[in-house]
C-alpha cells in the first residue's frame, strides 16, 4: 500500500496563544454530558492557522487542548509532528494536567521522542516523527499542546475536520488560512450546514459544541457525513517540483510528466527475456497474463517511502535488480514490462481498503493511498494488483473494487471506476455428504467453492502451517463441539478464479439425544453467527457495500435404526435487502436433503429501514437453528 506522507501528522488544528490563559483544564461529569455520553475524549479548544507564504512555503501554528476520559481515548492526544528535509519543527511543547486542573508535567521539544516514522512495512522511510510519550496513571487528564512547523512544500495543505473521529466531542474548533500569495486556492466545504458550522471570513471557519458520534454498524464511512473543509493550491510545490492542479486532468498530466516519465528503463536482458516468454501469445491479454505471472514470481512487496513526497515510484531497473518494491514501484515496473511487449497500460492512484472510498470528482488534490495498474480492454478496463504474489490476474475484490481511480495518461488524469462484483458473482457454494449415527455423531466430506468477493484463494491459506489450517476450520464451524478435522485439500484455479476446499471432518456428538429421539440442526456448515446490534435510535443510513450469494446443499445418510419423526416445513423470506430460503426433504432409504440459499443485495437504505434489516437477520438466525426430530427405532 502506498504510504502518502502526512507532513502535518494526522490532524493539525491550531489555537491562538491568547486562548491559553482562558482555558479551564479541569474536567467533570457535567462537561462530558454536554458532548455526548459516548465520548472518550473532549477537544476543548482547537483552532488552526496556516500561513501560505509562497507556492513552496507554508507555516502551520498549532495549539490544541484535549481532555482524555479513559484509556480508549489515549490516542486522541495527538501530540506529535512529522518532519523531514523539507519540514522544520520550530516550536514543540506540551503540558499535562490532572482532573483537578493541576499541572502534572510540562514537556519541551527535547522531551519528545524522536524516531523514524516507520509504518510497519517500510524497508526505508526518510520521514521522522517527534511525539509525546505519556503513560496515564489516572483519568481524566488533559493535554495542552503547542507546535509551529515550517514546510518547504505546499502539495499537502491540511484539511479541517473539526469532528476528528468517533467518540470525540468538540467544544470549539476553528480553522483559518492566510494566503499571502497571488496563487488561487481551491476550497471544498462538506456537510458544514449539518453541524451549524459558521464561516466567519475568507478561509475562516468556526465549530462549537459538536457531540461525540458513536459508530453504527453498516453506516457510511465517517468522512461521508462528518464536516470537513478541503483546500488545495492551484500551483503547488512537491519537493522542488512545481505542480499544477486546476483539474484532475491537469493534476494527472503533472504526475505523468514529473513523476512517471523516465522511470521505466529496463535492462536489455530483461526485455529479451520478456519478449521470449510472450512470443507465442495470441492476444494482448494473454501477453499481460504472462507478464503478471512473471512479476508475481520475480518480485515481492516491500514499502520504500522516499523520493518526491512518497509519490514518485522507484525506477523500474531498480525494482528489477532488487526484486522488490512498493505499490508504486511494482505497478510502474509492470507497466514497463508491458510496454516492452506492446500492451497498453496505465498507472493509477486509488484509495485501497476493504471499505469503499472514492475520489472526489469535483475537487482535485493529492489524494489516494495506493497505486495499481490498469489495462484497456475494449470499453472496459482490467485492473492489476501488483503487490500480491497470490492474486489472480485482474482480480481486485475487497480492496480496490467498485471505486473511482485516477488513471494517469500522457494526456492527463482520468477518473475511471474499477470493477464491480455483482451479487450473483460473489458465491460461496457448500455441499456435503454427512453420515449421522445413532449417538448423534457424524462424519462428513465437505466441499466449498468460493467465487467473486467471496473467493478465498488470495488469503494465503495454502501456505499456512497445517495446525493453523485446521484451527481455521474449527473456528469456522465452532457450532460443532469436539470437531475433528481429519484431512483437507485446496485447489486454487486462478484462471477461473475459483477456490475449492475439500475437507473431511467428524464429531462424536452433534445432534442432542433426548430419550429415544435425536434433535438435529441440519445446517452444520454455514450457520449465521452474527446479528447486527440493536439501536434504540438509529441515526445513520444503512449501507451494504457488497452483495453475496450463499448456496448450501447437504445430504444426510442416517444410520440404520434412525427414522424421521418431524421435519421443518420449507421457509422462504423475501425482503428489499435480499432473500432467504431453506428446505429439508426426506428422500427415502434413510436419506435427507437440506438446501439453503441466502442472498444479500448491495444497496443504500434510509435509517428507518435498519430495524427491518436487523429483523431479516434475526429470522435467518432463527431458521438456521431449526431442528429435525429423528427417532431411534426400537427392536423386539
Amino acid at each position: 500500500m502506498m504510504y502518502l506522507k502526512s507532513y502535518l501528522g494526522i490532524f493539525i488544528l491550531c489555537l491562538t496563544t491568547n486562548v491559553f490563559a482562558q482555558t479551564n483544564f479541569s474536567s467533570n461529569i457535567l462537561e462530558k454530558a454536554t458532548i455526548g455520553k459516548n465520548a472518550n475524549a473532549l477537544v476543548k479548544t482547537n483552532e488552526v492557522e496556516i500561513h501560505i507564504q509562497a507556492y513552496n512555503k507554508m507555516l502551520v501554528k498549532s495549539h490544541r487542548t484535549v481532555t482524555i476520559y479513559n484509556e480508549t481515548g489515549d490516542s486522541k492526544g495527538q501530540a506529535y509532528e512529522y518532519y523531514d528535509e523539507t519540514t522544520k519543527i520550530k516550536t514543540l511543547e506540551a503540558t499535562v494536567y490532572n482532573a483537578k486542573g493541576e499541572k502534572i508535567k510540562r514537556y519541551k521539544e527535547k522531551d519528545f521522542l524522536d524516531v523514524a516514522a516507520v509504518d510497519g512495512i517500510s524497508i526505508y522511510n526518510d520521514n521522522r516523527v517527534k511525539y509525546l510519550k505519556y503513560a496515564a496513571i489516572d483519568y481524566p487528564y488533559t493535554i495542552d499542546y503547542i507546535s509551529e512547523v515550517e514546510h518547504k512544500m505546499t502539495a499537502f495543505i491540511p484539511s479541517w475536520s473539526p469532528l476528528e473521529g468517533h467518540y470525540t466531542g468538540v467544544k470549539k474548533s476553528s480553522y483559518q488560512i492566510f494566503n499571502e500569495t497571488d496563487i488561487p486556492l481551491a476550497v471544498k466545504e462538506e456537510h458544514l450546514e449539518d453541524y451549524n458550522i459558521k464561516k466567519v471570513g475568507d478561509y475562516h471557519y468556526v465549530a462549537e459544541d459538536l457531540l461525540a458520534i458513536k459508530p453504527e454498524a453498516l453506516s457510511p464511512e465517517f468522512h461521508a457525513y462528518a464536516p470537513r473543509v478541503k483546500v488545495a493550491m492551484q500551483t503547488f510545490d512537491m519537493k522542488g517540483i512545481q505542480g499544477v492542479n486546476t483539474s484532475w486532468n491537469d493534476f494527472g498530466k503533472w504526475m505523468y510528466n514529473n513523476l512517471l516519465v523516465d522511470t521505466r528503463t529496463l535492462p536489455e536482458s530483461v526485455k529479451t527475456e520478456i519478449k521470449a516468454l510472450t512470443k507465442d501469445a495470441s492476444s494482448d491479454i494473454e501477453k499481460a497474463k504472462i507478464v503478471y505471472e512473471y512479476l508475481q514470481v520475480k518480485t515481492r512487496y516491500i514499502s520504500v517511502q522516499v523520493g518526491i513526497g512518497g509519490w514518485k515510484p522507484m525506477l523500474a531497473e531498480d525494482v528489477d535488480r532488487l526484486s522488490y518494491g512498493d505499490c508504486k514501484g511494482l505497478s510502474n515496473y509492470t507497466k514497463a514490462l508491458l510496454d516492452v511487449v506492446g500492451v497498453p497500460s496505465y498507472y493509477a492512484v486509488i484509495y485501497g481498503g476493504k471499505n469503499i472510498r472514492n475520489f472526489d470528482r469535483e475537487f482535485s488534490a493529492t489524494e489516494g493511498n495506493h497505486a495499481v495498474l490498469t489495462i484497456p480492454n475494449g470499453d472496459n478496463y482490467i485492473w492489476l494488483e501488483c503487490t500480491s504474489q497470490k492474486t489472480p490476474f485482474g482480480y481486485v475484490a475487497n480492496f480496490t473494487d467498485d471505486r473511482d481511480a485516477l488513471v494517469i495518461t500522457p494526456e492527463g488524469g482520468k477518473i475511471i471506476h474499477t470493477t464491480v462484483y455483482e451479487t450473483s458473482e460473489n458465491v460461496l457454494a457448500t455441499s456435503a455428504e454427512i453420515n449421522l449415527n445413532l449417538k448423534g455423531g457424524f462424519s462428513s466430506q465437505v466441499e466449498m467453492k468460493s467465487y467473486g468477493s467471496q473467493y478465498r484463494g488470495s488469503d494465503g491459506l495454502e501456505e499456512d502451517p497445517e495446525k493453523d489450517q485446521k484451527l481455521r476450520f474449527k473456528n469456522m464451524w465452532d457450532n460443532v463441539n469436539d470437531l475433528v478435522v481429519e484431512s483437507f485439500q485446496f485447489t486454487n484455479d486462478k484462471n477461473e478464479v475459483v477456490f475449492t476446499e475439500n475437507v473431511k471432518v467428524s464429531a462424536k456428538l452433534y445432534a442432542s439425544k433426548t430419550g429415544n429421539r435425536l434433535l438435529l440442526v441440519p445446517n452444520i456448515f454455514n450457520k449465521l453467527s452474527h446479528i447486527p446490534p440493536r439501536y434504540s435510535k438509529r441515526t445513520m443510513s444503512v449501507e451494504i457495500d457488497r452483495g453475496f450469494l450463499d448456496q448450501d446443499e447437504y445430504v444426510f445418510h442416517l444410520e440404520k435404526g434412525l427414522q424421521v419423526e418431524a421435519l421443518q416445513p420449507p421457509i422462504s423470506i423475501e425482503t428489499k435487502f435480499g432473500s432467504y430460503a431453506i428446505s429439508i426433504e426426506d428422500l427415502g432409504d434413510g436419506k435427507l436433503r437440506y438446501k439453503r440459499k441466502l442472498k444479500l443485495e448491495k444497496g443504500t437504505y434510509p435509517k428507518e429501514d435498519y430495524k427491518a434489516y436487523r429483523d431479516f437477520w434475526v429470522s435467518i438466525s432463527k431458521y438456521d437453528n431449526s431442528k429435525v426430530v429423528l427417532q431411534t427405532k426400537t427392536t423386539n
Side-chain angles (χ1 to χ4, degrees):
M1 186 163 34
M2 180 164 62
Y3 174 69
L4 302 186
K5 298 181 186 176
S6 172
Y7 293 87
L8 312 174
I10 297 176
F11 299 99
I12 294 189
L13 301 171
C14 312
L15 174 65
T16 55
T17 54
N18 63 348
V19 180
F20 182 89
Q22 304 170 12
T23 303
N24 176 13
F25 296 107
S26 64
S27 175
N28 55 62
I29 294 298
L30 291 178
E31 181 179 63
K32 185 174 181 179
T34 66
I35 59 165
K37 62 183 180 180
N38 301 313
N40 59 23
L42 169 63
V43 177
K44 292 187 172 182
T45 310
N46 205 339
E47 300 178 358
V48 61
E49 282 190 14
I50 301 174
H51 296 261
I52 302 173
Q53 300 168 333
Y55 93 96
N56 63 346
K57 189 175 181 181
M58 177 172 62
L59 181 68
V60 178
K61 298 179 181 180
S62 178
H63 185 163
R64 165 190 172 85
T65 306
V66 56
T67 296
I68 310 299
Y69 290 111
N70 53 56
E71 62 183 7
T72 63
D74 281 337
S75 63
K76 308 294 178 65
Q78 295 181 15
Y80 55 82
E81 295 294 344
Y82 289 99
Y83 72 97
D84 62 8
E85 70 274 13
T86 65
T87 307
K88 180 182 179 181
I89 298 175
K90 302 183 72 175
T91 302
L92 189 63
E93 61 182 73
T95 307
V96 180
Y97 298 83
N98 64 18
K100 297 179 180 180
E102 302 167 337
K103 182 169 69 175
I104 297 175
K105 187 174 181 179
R106 184 182 179 190
Y107 296 84
K108 297 184 178 180
E109 183 173 349
K110 64 182 178 62
D111 301 316
F112 283 65
L113 294 182
D114 187 347
V115 298
V118 296
D119 54 9
I121 52 177
S122 296
I123 190 172
Y124 182 70
N125 192 328
D126 62 354
N127 202 16
R128 296 188 66 83
V129 61
K130 291 186 178 183
Y131 72 97
L132 174 65
K133 185 177 182 180
Y134 175 72
I137 299 175
D138 296 308
Y139 296 89
Y141 66 93
T142 297
I143 294 179
D144 189 70
Y145 172 66
I146 298 172
S147 72
E148 187 173 326
V149 182
E150 185 178 75
H151 304 268
K152 295 179 180 179
M153 184 168 67
T154 52
F156 306 98
I157 297 178
S159 61
W160 181 54
S161 301
L163 271 176
E164 302 171 5
H166 294 114
Y167 301 114
T168 306
V170 177
K171 289 296 292 180
K172 184 178 180 180
S173 177
S174 73
Y175 175 83
Q176 188 170 14
I177 295 178
F178 298 90
N179 185 9
E180 301 168 16
T181 76
D182 57 1
I183 300 171
L185 299 182
V187 179
K188 178 74 178 292
E189 301 170 357
E190 296 178 341
H191 315 297
L192 302 190
E193 65 282 356
D194 298 333
Y195 297 86
N196 197 29
I197 292 173
K198 300 175 183 177
K199 183 175 182 179
V200 295
D202 290 341
Y203 316 125
H204 190 186
Y205 302 84
V206 177
E208 295 182 290
D209 298 321
L210 303 182
L211 295 179
I213 296 177
K214 183 179 180 180
E216 295 177 340
L218 296 159
S219 63
E221 286 292 289
F222 187 79
H223 67 84
Y225 57 83
R228 182 169 60 169
V229 176
K230 299 188 295 186
V231 180
M233 291 191 77
Q234 294 190 3
T235 302
F236 63 88
D237 174 83
M238 185 183 285
K239 287 201 172 183
I241 297 181
Q242 182 172 322
V244 177
N245 180 29
T246 56
S247 66
W248 282 121
N249 182 73
D250 287 344
F251 184 74
K253 182 176 288 187
W254 171 81
M255 279 193 66
Y256 183 86
N257 291 330
N258 293 278
L259 302 184
L260 301 179
V261 166
D262 299 327
T263 62
R264 301 193 184 107
T265 302
L266 290 171
E268 289 301 321
S269 59
V270 175
K271 294 180 181 179
T272 300
E273 181 181 9
I274 204 68
K275 288 178 180 178
L277 288 172
T278 58
K279 64 182 177 63
D280 295 326
S282 59
S283 67
D284 281 355
I285 300 305
E286 188 178 350
K287 288 180 182 179
K289 287 182 178 180
I290 295 170
V291 167
Y292 189 65
E293 183 178 357
Y294 178 87
L295 167 82
Q296 290 183 308
V297 172
K298 180 178 175 61
T299 66
R300 68 191 189 280
Y301 172 78
I302 296 180
S303 182
V304 184
Q305 301 306 337
V306 295
I308 300 176
W311 277 61
K312 187 178 179 68
M314 291 172 59
L315 297 177
E317 57 190 321
D318 288 341
V319 174
D320 183 79
R321 175 174 54 84
L322 298 169
S323 293
Y324 66 68
D326 63 5
C327 62
K328 303 181 300 295
L330 294 173
S331 297
N332 191 58
Y333 175 63
T334 308
K335 175 168 174 52
L337 294 171
L338 290 172
D339 286 347
V340 170
V341 295
V343 177
S345 65
Y346 300 111
Y347 183 95
V349 180
I350 198 168
Y351 279 109
K354 183 176 181 181
N355 295 324
I356 295 172
R357 182 176 179 183
N358 283 298
F359 276 36
D360 186 340
R361 288 176 177 254
E362 299 175 353
F363 187 83
S364 57
T366 46
E367 292 197 35
N369 65 1
H370 190 52
V372 295
L373 197 69
T374 187
I375 300 172
N377 184 30
D379 294 332
N380 297 312
Y381 289 83
I382 296 171
W383 301 87
L384 299 183
E385 175 54 64
C386 299
T387 62
S388 173
Q389 295 171 304
K390 304 177 180 66
T391 299
F393 177 84
Y395 181 80
V396 293
N398 303 313
F399 192 69
T400 53
D401 60 319
D402 194 11
R403 68 200 71 194
D404 290 341
L406 177 63
V407 175
I408 310 301
T409 76
E411 294 76 30
K414 298 179 180 179
I415 300 292
I416 296 176
H417 207 74
T418 64
T419 305
V420 177
Y421 291 80
E422 303 294 343
T423 298
S424 59
E425 299 177 87
N426 305 326
V427 176
L428 175 62
T430 305
S431 60
E433 296 287 333
I434 304 166
N435 297 305
L436 185 70
N437 63 41
L438 289 164
K439 295 181 180 180
F442 73 84
S443 62
S444 177
Q445 187 70 42
V446 187
E447 180 182 80
M448 294 175 288
K449 289 181 175 288
S450 52
Y451 310 78
S453 65
Q454 299 212 68
Y455 168 75
R456 296 170 175 171
S458 296
D459 296 340
L461 302 177
E462 298 160 283
E463 288 78 30
D464 286 344
E466 183 177 343
K467 65 177 183 178
D468 292 343
Q469 293 169 328
K470 288 186 175 181
L471 181 61
R472 170 179 167 268
F473 288 119
K474 288 185 176 183
N475 290 336
M476 188 187 307
W477 298 320
D478 59 2
N479 55 300
V480 182
N481 293 326
D482 299 320
L483 181 76
V484 176
V485 180
E486 298 180 7
S487 64
F488 57 88
Q489 181 179 1
F490 300 138
T491 303
N492 191 1
D493 187 339
K494 291 187 176 182
N495 288 326
E496 298 298 326
V497 194
V498 54
F499 190 71
T500 303
E501 302 166 75
N502 284 291
V503 193
K504 186 176 181 181
V505 294
S506 63
K508 290 183 178 180
L509 295 174
Y510 174 68
S512 56
K513 190 172 179 62
T514 303
N516 66 339
R517 291 181 173 84
L518 285 180
L519 301 180
L520 168 69
V521 178
N523 187 357
I524 301 177
F525 300 114
N526 199 7
K527 286 179 66 174
L528 181 67
S529 59
H530 173 72
I531 295 175
R534 180 186 286 110
Y535 299 105
S536 58
K537 185 179 180 181
R538 175 79 179 193
T539 62
M540 300 291 174
S541 60
V542 180
E543 283 196 1
I544 303 172
D545 285 343
R546 298 174 183 88
F548 66 83
L549 176 63
D550 282 2
Q551 295 176 311
D552 308 279
E553 183 170 338
Y554 316 147
V555 175
F556 288 85
H557 302 268
L558 307 182
E559 185 178 10
K560 187 176 181 180
L562 286 175
Q563 62 183 14
V564 175
E565 181 175 302
L567 296 178
Q568 165 74 46
I571 298 294
S572 180
I573 303 173
E574 294 285 342
T575 74
K576 66 172 65 177
F577 317 107
S579 59
Y580 172 81
I582 61 168
S583 65
I584 186 158
E585 179 184 3
D586 188 346
L587 301 177
D589 296 328
K591 290 195 284 188
L592 302 175
R593 180 167 59 202
Y594 172 80
K595 298 178 72 173
R596 175 183 183 269
K597 183 177 181 180
L598 169 61
K599 181 168 68 172
L600 184 69
E601 296 287 3
K602 172 186 173 178
T604 300
Y605 308 91
K607 62 184 180 181
E608 291 78 14
D609 283 349
Y610 181 79
K611 183 180 183 301
Y613 175 83
R614 185 178 183 276
D615 289 344
F616 178 46
W617 286 97
V618 169
S619 296
I620 294 170
S621 179
K622 172 186 173 182
Y623 291 116
D624 271 1
N625 284 284
S626 59
K627 298 177 178 65
V628 172
V629 181
L630 303 175
Q631 192 175 52
T632 304
K633 294 180 182 178
T634 57
T635 57
N636 295 326

